Amino acid sequence: MTDSARCTDQEASLDDTTRAYQAEYSDRGFWRKVAQHAQKAGKATLSPALTLYYAAQDADTPVWVKTTIYGALGYFVSPIDAIPDVIPITGYTDDMGVLAAAICVAAAHIKPEHRHKAGQSLKRWLG
């Protein structure tokens, strides 16, 4: 198999995975996860999740970026994880990795007001 064919196969697999997790996402599911796991997930996990959430709500954010964001947030809210969230200390590391990757993809479209709203939400949830 050529590198080009292997890359195309990997991209198709990634697209399928993103679509699957996008289907897991809902506003209600997102806020439920935040409410139930805010203390356990902590600021390191919730800050990028909330920043992405507010970026996805912005009409200026391109659809392709929203697709990436909703895929990452879908993984965050999904009960099926590579590392189950109930495992102490390491339970959210996979979520943080997926959220960090989405932040990298969406970075050019994340505005200061998205980060500000995320910070305000963090203060409400974590004090």
Side-chain angles (χ1 to χ4, degrees):
M1 179 180 280
T2 68
D3 287 342
S4 177
R6 191 178 4 256
C7 188
T8 303
D9 288 346
Q10 289 174 341
E11 287 173 4
S13 177
L14 183 58
D15 287 345
D16 292 342
T17 302
T18 300
R19 275 193 288 281
Y21 281 114
Q22 229 181 326
E24 290 284 332
Y25 177 80
S26 72
D27 275 358
R28 184 175 175 207
F30 176 77
W31 290 112
R32 183 176 38 235
K33 174 96 177 206
V34 170
Q36 291 175 348
H37 299 276
Q39 293 297 322
K40 193 188 307 182
K43 187 176 182 176
T45 303
L46 292 182
S47 181
L50 290 164
T51 300
L52 289 167
Y53 173 82
Y54 289 118
Q57 301 304 305
D58 191 327
D60 293 339
T61 302
V63 172
W64 71 268
V65 174
K66 289 181 180 187
T67 299
T68 300
I69 290 171
Y70 287 130
L73 293 178
Y75 185 86
F76 176 68
V77 301
S78 175
I80 301 168
D81 275 355
I83 303 171
D85 295 341
V86 296
I87 296 175
I89 300 170
T90 60
Y92 287 96
T93 55
D94 60 323
D95 297 271
M96 290 182 347
V98 169
L99 294 169
I103 288 277
C104 289
V105 170
H109 303 283
I110 294 174
K111 299 176 182 175
E113 60 255 31
H114 303 149
R115 293 187 190 283
H116 178 74
K117 287 180 182 179
Q120 297 294 72
S121 293
L122 279 172
K123 284 181 187 174
R124 278 194 306 274
W125 289 101
L126 300 176

mmCIF file of all heavy atoms in Angstrom, residues 36-83:
data_model
loop_
_atom_site.group_PDB
_atom_site.id
_atom_site.type_symbol
_atom_site.label_atom_id
_atom_site.label_comp_id
_atom_site.label_asym_id
_atom_site.label_seq_id
_atom_site.Cartn_x
_atom_site.Cartn_y
_atom_site.Cartn_z
ATOM 1 N N GLN A 36 -22.148 17.178 36.198
ATOM 2 C CA GLN A 36 -21.877 15.962 36.965
ATOM 3 C C GLN A 36 -20.396 15.759 37.271
ATOM 4 O O GLN A 36 -20.050 15.136 38.265
ATOM 5 C CB GLN A 36 -22.403 14.738 36.221
ATOM 6 C CG GLN A 36 -23.902 14.660 36.156
ATOM 7 C CD GLN A 36 -24.387 13.496 35.294
ATOM 8 O OE1 GLN A 36 -23.624 12.875 34.564
ATOM 9 N NE2 GLN A 36 -25.676 13.224 35.370
ATOM 10 N N HIS A 37 -19.518 16.272 36.408
ATOM 11 C CA HIS A 37 -18.104 15.937 36.536
ATOM 12 C C HIS A 37 -17.186 17.140 36.702
ATOM 13 O O HIS A 37 -15.967 16.986 36.610
ATOM 14 C CB HIS A 37 -17.657 15.135 35.299
ATOM 15 C CG HIS A 37 -18.403 13.859 35.136
ATOM 16 N ND1 HIS A 37 -18.048 12.705 35.788
ATOM 17 C CD2 HIS A 37 -19.503 13.556 34.411
ATOM 18 C CE1 HIS A 37 -18.885 11.742 35.455
ATOM 19 N NE2 HIS A 37 -19.789 12.235 34.628
ATOM 20 N N ALA A 38 -17.736 18.314 36.953
ATOM 21 C CA ALA A 38 -16.924 19.533 37.006
ATOM 22 C C ALA A 38 -15.779 19.402 38.010
ATOM 23 O O ALA A 38 -14.625 19.669 37.664
ATOM 24 C CB ALA A 38 -17.792 20.741 37.337
ATOM 25 N N GLN A 39 -16.073 19.000 39.217
ATOM 26 C CA GLN A 39 -15.034 18.913 40.240
ATOM 27 C C GLN A 39 -13.992 17.850 39.898
ATOM 28 O O GLN A 39 -12.794 18.075 40.049
ATOM 29 C CB GLN A 39 -15.669 18.614 41.611
ATOM 30 C CG GLN A 39 -16.521 19.739 42.147
ATOM 31 C CD GLN A 39 -15.732 21.012 42.399
ATOM 32 O OE1 GLN A 39 -14.590 20.993 42.844
ATOM 33 N NE2 GLN A 39 -16.344 22.141 42.092
ATOM 34 N N LYS A 40 -14.450 16.710 39.436
ATOM 35 C CA LYS A 40 -13.531 15.613 39.127
ATOM 36 C C LYS A 40 -12.701 15.906 37.870
ATOM 37 O O LYS A 40 -11.512 15.638 37.823
ATOM 38 C CB LYS A 40 -14.298 14.306 38.931
ATOM 39 C CG LYS A 40 -13.378 13.090 38.922
ATOM 40 C CD LYS A 40 -14.056 11.794 38.536
ATOM 41 C CE LYS A 40 -15.270 11.458 39.328
ATOM 42 N NZ LYS A 40 -15.851 10.168 38.932
ATOM 43 N N ALA A 41 -13.332 16.468 36.845
ATOM 44 C CA ALA A 41 -12.630 16.752 35.591
ATOM 45 C C ALA A 41 -11.634 17.894 35.773
ATOM 46 O O ALA A 41 -10.546 17.868 35.216
ATOM 47 C CB ALA A 41 -13.632 17.089 34.489
ATOM 48 N N GLY A 42 -12.021 18.889 36.547
ATOM 49 C CA GLY A 42 -11.130 19.996 36.850
ATOM 50 C C GLY A 42 -10.968 20.997 35.722
ATOM 51 O O GLY A 42 -11.454 20.827 34.610
ATOM 52 N N LYS A 43 -10.245 22.035 36.053
ATOM 53 C CA LYS A 43 -10.049 23.167 35.144
ATOM 54 C C LYS A 43 -9.301 22.755 33.874
ATOM 55 O O LYS A 43 -9.614 23.238 32.790
ATOM 56 C CB LYS A 43 -9.287 24.260 35.881
ATOM 57 C CG LYS A 43 -9.158 25.538 35.124
ATOM 58 C CD LYS A 43 -8.475 26.605 35.975
ATOM 59 C CE LYS A 43 -8.395 27.901 35.213
ATOM 60 N NZ LYS A 43 -7.823 28.970 36.029
ATOM 61 N N ALA A 44 -8.317 21.871 33.998
ATOM 62 C CA ALA A 44 -7.502 21.484 32.839
ATOM 63 C C ALA A 44 -8.339 20.831 31.747
ATOM 64 O O ALA A 44 -8.027 20.951 30.567
ATOM 65 C CB ALA A 44 -6.380 20.547 33.272
ATOM 66 N N THR A 45 -9.399 20.140 32.116
ATOM 67 C CA THR A 45 -10.273 19.507 31.136
ATOM 68 C C THR A 45 -11.405 20.437 30.715
ATOM 69 O O THR A 45 -11.724 20.539 29.531
ATOM 70 C CB THR A 45 -10.877 18.201 31.701
ATOM 71 O OG1 THR A 45 -9.801 17.336 32.082
ATOM 72 C CG2 THR A 45 -11.746 17.497 30.687
ATOM 73 N N LEU A 46 -12.000 21.109 31.680
ATOM 74 C CA LEU A 46 -13.168 21.933 31.374
ATOM 75 C C LEU A 46 -12.836 23.210 30.608
ATOM 76 O O LEU A 46 -13.641 23.658 29.788
ATOM 77 C CB LEU A 46 -13.922 22.285 32.653
ATOM 78 C CG LEU A 46 -14.608 21.118 33.350
ATOM 79 C CD1 LEU A 46 -15.365 21.609 34.576
ATOM 80 C CD2 LEU A 46 -15.550 20.409 32.405
ATOM 81 N N SER A 47 -11.667 23.792 30.835
ATOM 82 C CA SER A 47 -11.323 25.033 30.143
ATOM 83 C C SER A 47 -11.330 24.866 28.620
ATOM 84 O O SER A 47 -12.008 25.628 27.921
ATOM 85 C CB SER A 47 -9.976 25.561 30.634
ATOM 86 O OG SER A 47 -9.662 26.762 29.973
ATOM 87 N N PRO A 48 -10.628 23.869 28.064
ATOM 88 C CA PRO A 48 -10.705 23.713 26.608
ATOM 89 C C PRO A 48 -12.089 23.287 26.132
ATOM 90 O O PRO A 48 -12.542 23.716 25.061
ATOM 91 C CB PRO A 48 -9.648 22.663 26.277
ATOM 92 C CG PRO A 48 -9.339 21.983 27.552
ATOM 93 C CD PRO A 48 -9.661 22.953 28.649
ATOM 94 N N ALA A 49 -12.790 22.481 26.918
ATOM 95 C CA ALA A 49 -14.137 22.052 26.518
ATOM 96 C C ALA A 49 -15.071 23.250 26.413
ATOM 97 O O ALA A 49 -15.809 23.397 25.427
ATOM 98 C CB ALA A 49 -14.689 21.026 27.509
ATOM 99 N N LEU A 50 -15.029 24.127 27.399
ATOM 100 C CA LEU A 50 -15.886 25.311 27.385
ATOM 101 C C LEU A 50 -15.468 26.300 26.296
ATOM 102 O O LEU A 50 -16.327 26.888 25.634
ATOM 103 C CB LEU A 50 -15.877 25.986 28.758
ATOM 104 C CG LEU A 50 -16.595 25.211 29.861
ATOM 105 C CD1 LEU A 50 -16.211 25.738 31.239
ATOM 106 C CD2 LEU A 50 -18.099 25.250 29.657
ATOM 107 N N THR A 51 -14.179 26.462 26.101
ATOM 108 C CA THR A 51 -13.695 27.354 25.037
ATOM 109 C C THR A 51 -14.189 26.865 23.684
ATOM 110 O O THR A 51 -14.692 27.648 22.866
ATOM 111 C CB THR A 51 -12.157 27.434 25.058
ATOM 112 O OG1 THR A 51 -11.738 27.942 26.330
ATOM 113 C CG2 THR A 51 -11.631 28.324 23.953
ATOM 114 N N LEU A 52 -14.069 25.564 23.442
ATOM 115 C CA LEU A 52 -14.555 24.992 22.185
ATOM 116 C C LEU A 52 -16.064 25.152 22.063
ATOM 117 O O LEU A 52 -16.582 25.459 20.983
ATOM 118 C CB LEU A 52 -14.155 23.522 22.084
ATOM 119 C CG LEU A 52 -12.674 23.264 21.849
ATOM 120 C CD1 LEU A 52 -12.347 21.793 22.087
ATOM 121 C CD2 LEU A 52 -12.258 23.697 20.452
ATOM 122 N N TYR A 53 -16.777 24.929 23.154
ATOM 123 C CA TYR A 53 -18.230 25.070 23.141
ATOM 124 C C TYR A 53 -18.625 26.472 22.675
ATOM 125 O O TYR A 53 -19.466 26.633 21.790
ATOM 126 C CB TYR A 53 -18.806 24.775 24.526
ATOM 127 C CG TYR A 53 -20.285 25.061 24.610
ATOM 128 C CD1 TYR A 53 -21.211 24.142 24.153
ATOM 129 C CD2 TYR A 53 -20.753 26.273 25.117
ATOM 130 C CE1 TYR A 53 -22.576 24.410 24.199
ATOM 131 C CE2 TYR A 53 -22.106 26.548 25.170
ATOM 132 C CZ TYR A 53 -23.013 25.620 24.710
ATOM 133 O OH TYR A 53 -24.354 25.892 24.746
ATOM 134 N N TYR A 54 -18.016 27.494 23.274
ATOM 135 C CA TYR A 54 -18.379 28.867 22.917
ATOM 136 C C TYR A 54 -17.924 29.215 21.501
ATOM 137 O O TYR A 54 -18.613 29.968 20.805
ATOM 138 C CB TYR A 54 -17.841 29.850 23.953
ATOM 139 C CG TYR A 54 -18.595 29.731 25.257
ATOM 140 C CD1 TYR A 54 -17.955 29.346 26.427
ATOM 141 C CD2 TYR A 54 -19.965 29.966 25.320
ATOM 142 C CE1 TYR A 54 -18.655 29.208 27.618
ATOM 143 C CE2 TYR A 54 -20.674 29.826 26.501
ATOM 144 C CZ TYR A 54 -20.006 29.448 27.650
ATOM 145 O OH TYR A 54 -20.711 29.311 28.817
ATOM 146 N N ALA A 55 -16.813 28.674 21.053
ATOM 147 C CA ALA A 55 -16.385 28.904 19.665
ATOM 148 C C ALA A 55 -17.382 28.281 18.694
ATOM 149 O O ALA A 55 -17.694 28.860 17.650
ATOM 150 C CB ALA A 55 -14.988 28.327 19.435
ATOM 151 N N ALA A 56 -17.904 27.116 19.030
ATOM 152 C CA ALA A 56 -18.878 26.447 18.159
ATOM 153 C C ALA A 56 -20.202 27.197 18.101
ATOM 154 O O ALA A 56 -20.912 27.124 17.097
ATOM 155 C CB ALA A 56 -19.122 25.010 18.630
ATOM 156 N N GLN A 57 -20.521 27.945 19.145
ATOM 157 C CA GLN A 57 -21.766 28.708 19.174
ATOM 158 C C GLN A 57 -21.686 29.983 18.339
ATOM 159 O O GLN A 57 -22.703 30.570 17.998
ATOM 160 C CB GLN A 57 -22.133 29.080 20.618
ATOM 161 C CG GLN A 57 -22.305 27.907 21.550
ATOM 162 C CD GLN A 57 -23.325 26.914 21.058
ATOM 163 O OE1 GLN A 57 -24.460 27.269 20.783
ATOM 164 N NE2 GLN A 57 -22.929 25.662 20.937
ATOM 165 N N ASP A 58 -20.482 30.390 17.984
ATOM 166 C CA ASP A 58 -20.257 31.641 17.244
ATOM 167 C C ASP A 58 -20.596 31.445 15.769
ATOM 168 O O ASP A 58 -20.088 30.523 15.120
ATOM 169 C CB ASP A 58 -18.793 32.043 17.401
ATOM 170 C CG ASP A 58 -18.494 33.439 16.908
ATOM 171 O OD1 ASP A 58 -19.143 33.899 15.935
ATOM 172 O OD2 ASP A 58 -17.598 34.067 17.480
ATOM 173 N N ALA A 59 -21.424 32.323 15.242
ATOM 174 C CA ALA A 59 -21.819 32.238 13.827
ATOM 175 C C ALA A 59 -20.634 32.450 12.886
ATOM 176 O O ALA A 59 -20.663 31.998 11.738
ATOM 177 C CB ALA A 59 -22.903 33.270 13.529
ATOM 178 N N ASP A 60 -19.578 33.111 13.353
ATOM 179 C CA ASP A 60 -18.397 33.351 12.526
ATOM 180 C C ASP A 60 -17.504 32.117 12.372
ATOM 181 O O ASP A 60 -16.631 32.099 11.514
ATOM 182 C CB ASP A 60 -17.542 34.482 13.110
ATOM 183 C CG ASP A 60 -18.227 35.837 13.040
ATOM 184 O OD1 ASP A 60 -19.158 35.992 12.219
ATOM 185 O OD2 ASP A 60 -17.827 36.736 13.800
ATOM 186 N N THR A 61 -17.688 31.130 13.214
ATOM 187 C CA THR A 61 -16.849 29.925 13.145
ATOM 188 C C THR A 61 -17.265 29.100 11.937
ATOM 189 O O THR A 61 -18.441 28.762 11.795
ATOM 190 C CB THR A 61 -16.992 29.089 14.440
ATOM 191 O OG1 THR A 61 -16.628 29.914 15.557
ATOM 192 C CG2 THR A 61 -16.093 27.866 14.412
ATOM 193 N N PRO A 62 -16.307 28.778 11.057
ATOM 194 C CA PRO A 62 -16.646 28.006 9.848
ATOM 195 C C PRO A 62 -17.196 26.614 10.181
ATOM 196 O O PRO A 62 -16.852 26.027 11.208
ATOM 197 C CB PRO A 62 -15.310 27.868 9.116
ATOM 198 C CG PRO A 62 -14.414 28.906 9.700
ATOM 199 C CD PRO A 62 -14.896 29.148 11.095
ATOM 200 N N VAL A 63 -18.011 26.108 9.302
ATOM 201 C CA VAL A 63 -18.644 24.803 9.508
ATOM 202 C C VAL A 63 -17.605 23.703 9.694
ATOM 203 O O VAL A 63 -17.770 22.832 10.548
ATOM 204 C CB VAL A 63 -19.603 24.471 8.333
ATOM 205 C CG1 VAL A 63 -20.111 23.048 8.427
ATOM 206 C CG2 VAL A 63 -20.755 25.451 8.309
ATOM 207 N N TRP A 64 -16.524 23.713 8.927
ATOM 208 C CA TRP A 64 -15.530 22.648 9.053
ATOM 209 C C TRP A 64 -14.885 22.665 10.438
ATOM 210 O O TRP A 64 -14.549 21.616 10.980
ATOM 211 C CB TRP A 64 -14.484 22.711 7.930
ATOM 212 C CG TRP A 64 -13.523 23.866 8.014
ATOM 213 C CD1 TRP A 64 -13.665 25.088 7.434
ATOM 214 C CD2 TRP A 64 -12.275 23.895 8.719
ATOM 215 N NE1 TRP A 64 -12.583 25.887 7.729
ATOM 216 C CE2 TRP A 64 -11.707 25.177 8.513
ATOM 217 C CE3 TRP A 64 -11.591 22.977 9.495
ATOM 218 C CZ2 TRP A 64 -10.483 25.550 9.055
ATOM 219 C CZ3 TRP A 64 -10.371 23.350 10.043
ATOM 220 C CH2 TRP A 64 -9.830 24.618 9.822
ATOM 221 N N VAL A 65 -14.733 23.857 11.038
ATOM 222 C CA VAL A 65 -14.177 23.951 12.393
ATOM 223 C C VAL A 65 -15.204 23.446 13.398
ATOM 224 O O VAL A 65 -14.863 22.706 14.328
ATOM 225 C CB VAL A 65 -13.737 25.403 12.715
ATOM 226 C CG1 VAL A 65 -13.289 25.529 14.166
ATOM 227 C CG2 VAL A 65 -12.640 25.852 11.768
ATOM 228 N N LYS A 66 -16.469 23.820 13.197
ATOM 229 C CA LYS A 66 -17.532 23.343 14.084
ATOM 230 C C LYS A 66 -17.613 21.823 14.049
ATOM 231 O O LYS A 66 -17.861 21.190 15.082
ATOM 232 C CB LYS A 66 -18.872 23.958 13.696
ATOM 233 C CG LYS A 66 -18.972 25.426 14.032
ATOM 234 C CD LYS A 66 -20.330 25.985 13.657
ATOM 235 C CE LYS A 66 -20.394 27.459 13.996
ATOM 236 N NZ LYS A 66 -21.719 28.026 13.807
ATOM 237 N N THR A 67 -17.391 21.228 12.885
ATOM 238 C CA THR A 67 -17.411 19.771 12.775
ATOM 239 C C THR A 67 -16.347 19.156 13.672
ATOM 240 O O THR A 67 -16.608 18.193 14.398
ATOM 241 C CB THR A 67 -17.193 19.344 11.301
ATOM 242 O OG1 THR A 67 -18.242 19.880 10.515
ATOM 243 C CG2 THR A 67 -17.160 17.842 11.155
ATOM 244 N N THR A 68 -15.152 19.718 13.631
ATOM 245 C CA THR A 68 -14.066 19.239 14.492
ATOM 246 C C THR A 68 -14.426 19.432 15.957
ATOM 247 O O THR A 68 -14.234 18.534 16.783
ATOM 248 C CB THR A 68 -12.757 19.985 14.160
ATOM 249 O OG1 THR A 68 -12.426 19.741 12.792
ATOM 250 C CG2 THR A 68 -11.622 19.544 15.056
ATOM 251 N N ILE A 69 -14.949 20.604 16.287
ATOM 252 C CA ILE A 69 -15.308 20.908 17.673
ATOM 253 C C ILE A 69 -16.380 19.941 18.174
ATOM 254 O O ILE A 69 -16.254 19.372 19.263
ATOM 255 C CB ILE A 69 -15.776 22.370 17.810
ATOM 256 C CG1 ILE A 69 -14.598 23.323 17.617
ATOM 257 C CG2 ILE A 69 -16.458 22.605 19.162
ATOM 258 C CD1 ILE A 69 -14.973 24.793 17.521
ATOM 259 N N TYR A 70 -17.431 19.756 17.392
ATOM 260 C CA TYR A 70 -18.505 18.871 17.844
ATOM 261 C C TYR A 70 -18.047 17.430 17.942
ATOM 262 O O TYR A 70 -18.527 16.673 18.793
ATOM 263 C CB TYR A 70 -19.740 19.018 16.955
ATOM 264 C CG TYR A 70 -20.471 20.322 17.194
ATOM 265 C CD1 TYR A 70 -20.821 21.146 16.135
ATOM 266 C CD2 TYR A 70 -20.800 20.743 18.477
ATOM 267 C CE1 TYR A 70 -21.482 22.349 16.348
ATOM 268 C CE2 TYR A 70 -21.452 21.941 18.699
ATOM 269 C CZ TYR A 70 -21.794 22.731 17.635
ATOM 270 O OH TYR A 70 -22.441 23.926 17.859
ATOM 271 N N GLY A 71 -17.113 17.032 17.099
ATOM 272 C CA GLY A 71 -16.536 15.699 17.224
ATOM 273 C C GLY A 71 -15.802 15.546 18.549
ATOM 274 O O GLY A 71 -15.960 14.550 19.260
ATOM 275 N N ALA A 72 -15.006 16.558 18.915
ATOM 276 C CA ALA A 72 -14.262 16.525 20.183
ATOM 277 C C ALA A 72 -15.206 16.590 21.386
ATOM 278 O O ALA A 72 -15.036 15.853 22.363
ATOM 279 C CB ALA A 72 -13.259 17.678 20.234
ATOM 280 N N LEU A 73 -16.205 17.471 21.309
ATOM 281 C CA LEU A 73 -17.158 17.569 22.421
ATOM 282 C C LEU A 73 -18.018 16.305 22.516
ATOM 283 O O LEU A 73 -18.406 15.896 23.612
ATOM 284 C CB LEU A 73 -18.031 18.819 22.273
ATOM 285 C CG LEU A 73 -17.298 20.154 22.413
ATOM 286 C CD1 LEU A 73 -18.258 21.322 22.187
ATOM 287 C CD2 LEU A 73 -16.601 20.275 23.754
ATOM 288 N N GLY A 74 -18.287 15.692 21.381
ATOM 289 C CA GLY A 74 -19.008 14.420 21.392
ATOM 290 C C GLY A 74 -18.209 13.353 22.108
ATOM 291 O O GLY A 74 -18.752 12.556 22.874
ATOM 292 N N TYR A 75 -16.898 13.323 21.882
ATOM 293 C CA TYR A 75 -16.036 12.373 22.598
ATOM 294 C C TYR A 75 -16.059 12.689 24.092
ATOM 295 O O TYR A 75 -16.138 11.787 24.923
ATOM 296 C CB TYR A 75 -14.594 12.443 22.071
ATOM 297 C CG TYR A 75 -13.710 11.402 22.705
ATOM 298 C CD1 TYR A 75 -13.641 10.121 22.175
ATOM 299 C CD2 TYR A 75 -12.970 11.682 23.841
ATOM 300 C CE1 TYR A 75 -12.854 9.145 22.760
ATOM 301 C CE2 TYR A 75 -12.177 10.725 24.436
ATOM 302 C CZ TYR A 75 -12.123 9.464 23.901
ATOM 303 O OH TYR A 75 -11.354 8.493 24.495
ATOM 304 N N PHE A 76 -16.007 13.973 24.427
ATOM 305 C CA PHE A 76 -16.019 14.395 25.823
ATOM 306 C C PHE A 76 -17.277 13.924 26.549
ATOM 307 O O PHE A 76 -17.207 13.456 27.677
ATOM 308 C CB PHE A 76 -15.884 15.919 25.896
ATOM 309 C CG PHE A 76 -15.979 16.489 27.274
ATOM 310 C CD1 PHE A 76 -15.004 16.247 28.217
ATOM 311 C CD2 PHE A 76 -17.051 17.295 27.628
ATOM 312 C CE1 PHE A 76 -15.091 16.783 29.495
ATOM 313 C CE2 PHE A 76 -17.153 17.840 28.894
ATOM 314 C CZ PHE A 76 -16.171 17.592 29.830
ATOM 315 N N VAL A 77 -18.433 14.030 25.905
ATOM 316 C CA VAL A 77 -19.682 13.652 26.571
ATOM 317 C C VAL A 77 -19.998 12.168 26.452
ATOM 318 O O VAL A 77 -20.824 11.649 27.197
ATOM 319 C CB VAL A 77 -20.893 14.479 26.086
ATOM 320 C CG1 VAL A 77 -20.671 15.953 26.316
ATOM 321 C CG2 VAL A 77 -21.247 14.197 24.649
ATOM 322 N N SER A 78 -19.344 11.486 25.537
ATOM 323 C CA SER A 78 -19.634 10.069 25.323
ATOM 324 C C SER A 78 -19.223 9.230 26.537
ATOM 325 O O SER A 78 -18.141 9.419 27.094
ATOM 326 C CB SER A 78 -18.885 9.561 24.089
ATOM 327 O OG SER A 78 -19.074 8.171 23.943
ATOM 328 N N PRO A 79 -20.057 8.285 26.923
ATOM 329 C CA PRO A 79 -19.678 7.398 28.022
ATOM 330 C C PRO A 79 -18.636 6.361 27.600
ATOM 331 O O PRO A 79 -18.042 5.699 28.439
ATOM 332 C CB PRO A 79 -21.000 6.726 28.407
ATOM 333 C CG PRO A 79 -21.827 6.792 27.167
ATOM 334 C CD PRO A 79 -21.410 8.039 26.448
ATOM 335 N N ILE A 80 -18.400 6.235 26.310
ATOM 336 C CA ILE A 80 -17.419 5.275 25.800
ATOM 337 C C ILE A 80 -16.117 6.016 25.560
ATOM 338 O O ILE A 80 -16.023 6.864 24.680
ATOM 339 C CB ILE A 80 -17.917 4.609 24.504
ATOM 340 C CG1 ILE A 80 -19.235 3.903 24.769
ATOM 341 C CG2 ILE A 80 -16.868 3.650 23.960
ATOM 342 C CD1 ILE A 80 -19.951 3.467 23.512
ATOM 343 N N ASP A 81 -15.112 5.721 26.370
ATOM 344 C CA ASP A 81 -13.818 6.392 26.313
ATOM 345 C C ASP A 81 -12.696 5.381 26.173
ATOM 346 O O ASP A 81 -12.838 4.225 26.588
ATOM 347 C CB ASP A 81 -13.557 7.152 27.624
ATOM 348 C CG ASP A 81 -14.160 8.533 27.664
ATOM 349 O OD1 ASP A 81 -14.711 8.981 26.663
ATOM 350 O OD2 ASP A 81 -14.050 9.172 28.722
ATOM 351 N N ALA A 82 -11.571 5.849 25.656
ATOM 352 C CA ALA A 82 -10.377 5.005 25.629
ATOM 353 C C ALA A 82 -9.924 4.729 27.062
ATOM 354 O O ALA A 82 -9.507 3.626 27.389
ATOM 355 C CB ALA A 82 -9.267 5.680 24.830
ATOM 356 N N ILE A 83 -10.008 5.752 27.915
ATOM 357 C CA ILE A 83 -9.705 5.616 29.343
ATOM 358 C C ILE A 83 -10.956 6.056 30.089
ATOM 359 O O ILE A 83 -11.319 7.234 30.040
ATOM 360 C CB ILE A 83 -8.505 6.490 29.764
ATOM 361 C CG1 ILE A 83 -7.265 6.148 28.938
ATOM 362 C CG2 ILE A 83 -8.221 6.327 31.260
ATOM 363 C CD1 ILE A 83 -6.102 7.095 29.136
#
